[in-house]
Amino acid sequence: MQSTYTIGELAREFSISLRTLRFYEDKGLIRPQRQGVNRIYGHRERHRLRLILLGKQVGFSLDQIAEMLEFYDLKDGRSSQLRLVLSRFHQHLEVLRRQRTAIDTAIDELARTIIVIEDMLRARAEHDTAAVEGVLEAAE
Amino acid sequence: MQSTYTIGELAREFSISLRTLRFYEDKGLIRPQRQGVNRIYGHRERHRLRLILLGKQVGFSLDQIAEMLEFYDLKDGRSSQLRLVLSRFHQHLEVLRRQRTAIDTAIDELARTIIVIEDMLRARAEHDTAAVEGVLEAAE
DNA sequence: TTGCTCCTCACGTCACGTGAGGTGGC
DNA sequence: TTGCTCCTCACGTCACGTGAGGTGGC
């Protein structure tokens, strides 16, 4: 177990780019030390990075993540703050559920369109050009 | 049934902004006529707009949509082109399915995190601060 | 000297949002 | 004159990607 990491090591470990690490630093999400001009990341930065990527995975914006990390920092852990985070998570869960139904309808729509095109190709194979037009109109 | 539309009329009908209509024109997706300095949209533009929004809804990029609209324009409808579009639709369907599983795991993950936080709050309510730390570690 | 890893600008991407400042016709 | 709708720049947003040009130590 190392206690410090270079930017390249963290990038490899989490499969992200160096640019991404630097970008998160620009945004104030992580604050690595410096050894000369080079960045040095400690346990704290690594842990924060893990939380950031977890937040991203569940669809939070970097600004939202930054805000929650602040809460996490004031580790006094006021229950009121926890409750605030909790209600945001509940809200976000709703957003995710809506996104899922949106994707579901997109999938259905695309699948139906594929069937329409396949029908067109079949109609063509039967040398019935007029039928092709019919299918096209029906797809409207 | 009108045969021409102003930018505002189309925007209202499809619930999009004027900027969006102008942006699609910049991208070459639609080419409205001009009446003086004002844009005038005909049936063809309206139909294209409908296809564009449909494409967006199923998750295609504007560049991809532009390409497919070209095919649609060369309405000779070579079967080879239809088959090309068809294979892209199939590919895109796979992309959508992967997105859905990604969202599903995000939902699961967030739901589990919510439960963890609720447990923390419950542990706190029982005045057991040590237990709170325990829950936090277990969440790693 | 070559190769690797790191660095700092800084512009590009995607799909628009958002003013700023101005025009035309009721 | 006021209000509405339209116009053209042009910069901003989000989360980085992608060079360009340079440094340090094996």
Side-chain angles (χ1 to χ4, degrees), chain A residues 80-97:
Chain A
S80 59
Q81 283 178 357
L82 268 187
R83 261 181 260 279
L84 184 59
V85 168
L86 193 59
S87 84
R88 300 217 178 146
F89 278 16
H90 274 296
Q91 280 176 39
H92 192 66
L93 203 51
E94 273 319 293
V95 173
L96 286 179
R97 290 198 219 278

Side-chain angles (χ1 to χ4, degrees), chain B residues 37-96:
Chain B
V37 72
N38 289 8
R39 275 164 257 252
I40 295 294
Y41 298 80
H43 282 316
R44 179 189 133 87
E45 310 309 323
R46 186 154 164 276
H47 184 221
R48 288 200 135 221
L49 180 58
R50 202 204 293 285
L51 291 178
I52 292 166
L53 297 177
L54 216 151
K56 278 208 53 188
Q57 205 194 328
V58 299
F60 284 109
S61 74
L62 292 184
D63 279 351
Q64 292 174 312
I65 292 171
E67 203 192 14
M68 298 189 308
L69 282 180
E70 264 183 64
F71 284 165
Y72 194 82
D73 264 359
L74 320 167
K75 214 187 190 153
D76 64 340
R78 287 247 206 99
S79 293
S80 59
Q81 283 177 359
L82 267 187
R83 259 182 260 279
L84 184 57
V85 169
L86 193 59
S87 83
R88 298 218 180 146
F89 279 17
H90 274 296
Q91 280 176 39
H92 192 65
L93 202 52
E94 273 320 293
V95 173
L96 287 179

Side-chain angles (χ1 to χ4, degrees), chain A:
Chain A
M1 252 287 220
Q2 334 169 227
S3 80
T4 71
Y5 309 83
T6 68
I7 190 170
E9 286 167 351
L10 276 193
R12 261 189 302 279
E13 177 175 357
F14 293 101
S15 301
I16 58 182
S17 71
L18 306 192
R19 176 71 173 109
T20 298
L21 265 319
R22 295 185 191 122
F23 182 72
Y24 292 165
E25 182 179 346
D26 263 25
K27 279 253 155 182
L29 296 177
I30 41 183
R31 302 190 189 288
Q33 303 293 109
R34 293 286 178 142
Q35 205 163 68
V37 73
N38 288 7
R39 274 164 258 254
I40 296 293
Y41 299 80
H43 282 317
R44 179 189 133 87
E45 309 309 323
R46 187 155 163 275
H47 185 220
R48 288 200 134 219
L49 181 57
R50 203 203 294 284
L51 291 178
I52 292 167
L53 297 179
L54 216 151
K56 278 208 53 190
Q57 206 195 326
V58 299
F60 285 109
S61 74
L62 291 183
D63 280 349
Q64 292 174 311
I65 292 172
E67 202 192 16
M68 299 190 307
L69 281 179
E70 263 183 63
F71 284 164
Y72 193 82
D73 264 0
L74 320 167
K75 214 186 190 148
D76 66 339
R78 287 245 207 101
S79 292
S80 59
Q81 283 178 357
L82 268 187
R83 261 181 260 279
L84 184 59
V85 168
L86 193 59
S87 84
R88 300 217 178 146
F89 278 16
H90 274 296
Q91 280 176 39
H92 192 66
L93 203 51
E94 273 319 293
V95 173
L96 286 179
R97 290 198 219 278
R98 273 196 291 280
Q99 282 179 13
R100 178 166 59 179
T101 70
I103 283 208
D104 279 346
T105 50
I107 288 176
D108 286 357
E109 211 134 339
L110 191 55
R112 277 194 293 122
T113 306
I114 284 177
I115 290 178
V116 169
I117 295 181
E118 285 172 345
D119 282 352
M120 280 177 63
L121 284 171
R122 245 190 300 283
R124 248 166 227 228
E126 291 161 14
H127 290 286
D128 189 346
T129 310
V132 172
E133 298 301 319
V135 172
L136 253 175
E137 295 314 308
E140 282 275 357

